[in-house]
Amino acid sequence: MHRPSRTSRPSSRVFLHVAVVAAASVLTVLLAHAQREVDEPVTSEPQKGGESKSKLDEELFKKLFAQRRKDHIEAVQTLLKMDNYERLYKMITVLTEKIVEVVESSKSVIEKAGFLPHNSSFPVDTDVKDALSSILENTALFGDIILHLPDITHRILRTQSGWNSTIHWSLNFANRTRHLLNKSTITMFRLVEQELNITERDPDYFNPYRSAAHAGQREDTVKKKKPAKKEKRKKGPQIAKIEL
């Protein structure tokens, strides 16, 4: 009876970490936006002032997004430390499901507002800003997950094929708002699209995270299997000795 409680703790910690990251992002944007409105002087040229404010908002958005990317990497590193395949599979399933839900909800806000991502525009409405942030941040987090844990994530997407359309939409949306992203995130999205076969893979396509993850798994597997092989020869039954 103690095992289930231990199983739930790492999962809830990762999930809460991701939830806190998302909440912190929204709060930061809202507080910064409110403070600028209070401090901003009244000008006689509203259109010009509006353009200046939009640029400031966009720059703030980029900075916050870059910080959020660091949080995403920490969350993925926590996932990589989980040594139980079944737990990890369930955790990524839950995370992907929540990511899809958030993207779909934010997509609805974007479409109702009639917001069209263009290189020269940045939303003024707070709800649209929050939706934009949610889509890009959650899409980026999913991208990190599938690149670092491709085998599990591909397996999940095969069983949850209904999520693919939302994921494809979010990646397409991210491409249309790439002016808000840093270079490393743009590169990451290119890898994700090829990993998911959304776009044709380059002849020299290579997922560096896949090999790194597999290298660590191979070391652990070799260490576990060596003593097991000796026991297999002595006791006979082989299947009973395989640990997944």
Side-chain angles (χ1 to χ4, degrees), residues 53-87:
K53 182 177 181 304
S54 178
K55 290 181 180 179
L56 288 174
D57 285 351
E58 182 174 326
E59 289 305 313
L60 176 63
F61 183 94
K62 291 178 180 178
K63 290 179 181 179
L64 291 175
F65 182 81
Q67 179 58 49
R68 221 49 70 210
R69 294 295 298 125
K70 296 179 182 179
D71 296 332
H72 293 165
I73 296 300
E74 291 182 8
V76 171
Q77 291 303 317
T78 302
L79 289 173
L80 290 172
K81 291 176 183 178
M82 296 177 68
D83 57 359
N84 185 294
Y85 182 90
E86 184 180 353
R87 255 188 294 167

Side-chain angles (χ1 to χ4, degrees), residues 189-235:
F189 280 144
R190 288 175 182 166
L191 291 174
V192 171
E193 289 177 330
Q194 293 180 74
E195 180 67 33
L196 291 172
N197 290 309
I198 295 175
T199 59
E200 186 177 353
R201 293 187 177 185
D202 295 333
D204 57 345
Y205 169 73
F206 173 69
N207 178 359
Y209 306 105
R210 174 187 287 273
S211 60
H214 284 195
Q217 291 174 2
R218 284 172 190 152
E219 289 180 4
D220 294 338
T221 302
V222 170
K223 290 178 183 178
K224 292 179 180 179
K225 283 187 176 181
K226 280 185 178 179
K229 285 181 179 179
K230 293 179 181 178
E231 293 179 4
K232 286 177 189 176
R233 292 175 183 175
K234 292 179 180 180
K235 297 183 179 181

Side-chain angles (χ1 to χ4, degrees), residues 20 24 26 43 57 67 80 85 97 99-100 102 125 128 131 162-163 166-167 174-175 180 189 201 212 214 217:
V20 169
V26 173
T43 64
D57 285 351
Q67 179 58 49
L80 290 172
Y85 182 90
E97 181 179 16
I99 287 172
V100 169
V102 170
D125 185 85
V128 178
W163 295 349
T166 299
I167 292 170
N175 276 329
L180 300 174
F189 280 144
R201 293 187 177 185
H214 284 195
Q217 291 174 2

Side-chain angles (χ1 to χ4, degrees), residues 144-163:
D144 288 331
I145 291 174
I146 193 168
L147 289 179
H148 284 84
L149 296 156
D151 295 333
I152 291 180
T153 313
H154 278 298
R155 180 186 166 196
I156 291 171
L157 293 179
R158 283 195 296 269
T159 61
Q160 301 291 341
S161 58
W163 295 349

Side-chain angles (χ1 to χ4, degrees), residues 10-219:
S11 300
S12 59
R13 286 176 183 173
V14 178
F15 182 75
L16 286 174
H17 175 80
V18 175
V20 169
V21 166
S25 174
V26 173
L27 287 174
T28 304
V29 172
L30 290 176
L31 289 173
H33 177 72
Q35 185 170 354
R36 280 198 305 275
E37 286 189 341
V38 172
D39 296 338
E40 186 179 22
V42 178
T43 64
S44 58
E45 298 178 321
Q47 185 176 0
K48 188 173 181 179
E51 291 177 356
S52 177
K53 182 177 181 304
S54 178
K55 290 181 180 179
L56 288 174
D57 285 351
E58 182 174 326
E59 289 305 313
L60 176 63
F61 183 94
K62 291 178 180 178
K63 290 179 181 179
L64 291 175
F65 182 81
Q67 179 58 49
R68 221 49 70 210
R69 294 295 298 125
K70 296 179 182 179
D71 296 332
H72 293 165
I73 296 300
E74 291 182 8
V76 171
Q77 291 303 317
T78 302
L79 289 173
L80 290 172
K81 291 176 183 178
M82 296 177 68
D83 57 359
N84 185 294
Y85 182 90
E86 184 180 353
R87 255 188 294 167
L88 183 58
Y89 180 89
K90 291 179 179 178
M91 188 65 229
I92 296 177
T93 300
V94 171
L95 284 174
T96 305
E97 181 179 16
K98 294 301 179 183
I99 287 172
V100 169
E101 288 179 1
V102 170
V103 170
E104 288 179 344
S105 176
S106 299
K107 175 186 176 183
S108 178
V109 174
I110 291 289
E111 291 179 340
K112 286 181 180 179
F115 172 74
L116 298 175
H118 297 298
N119 292 342
S120 59
S121 66
F122 190 79
V124 177
D125 185 85
T126 301
D127 291 336
V128 178
K129 287 180 184 178
D130 293 343
L132 175 63
S133 176
S134 294
I135 292 170
L136 294 180
E137 289 182 11
N138 280 276
T139 304
L141 176 58
F142 172 79
D144 288 331
I145 291 174
I146 193 168
L147 289 179
H148 284 84
L149 296 156
D151 295 333
I152 291 180
T153 313
H154 278 298
R155 180 186 166 196
I156 291 171
L157 293 179
R158 283 195 296 269
T159 61
Q160 301 291 341
S161 58
W163 295 349
N164 288 318
S165 60
T166 299
I167 292 170
H168 290 195
W169 179 90
S170 66
L171 287 167
N172 180 54
F173 183 86
N175 276 329
R176 290 186 290 157
T177 52
R178 57 194 300 141
H179 58 288
L180 300 174
L181 310 175
N182 50 35
K183 292 182 179 179
S184 61
T185 303
I186 293 173
T187 300
M188 183 268 289
F189 280 144
R190 288 175 182 166
L191 291 174
V192 171
E193 289 177 330
Q194 293 180 74
E195 180 67 33
L196 291 172
N197 290 309
I198 295 175
T199 59
E200 186 177 353
R201 293 187 177 185
D202 295 333
D204 57 345
Y205 169 73
F206 173 69
N207 178 359
Y209 306 105
R210 174 187 287 273
S211 60
H214 284 195
Q217 291 174 2
R218 284 172 190 152
E219 289 180 4

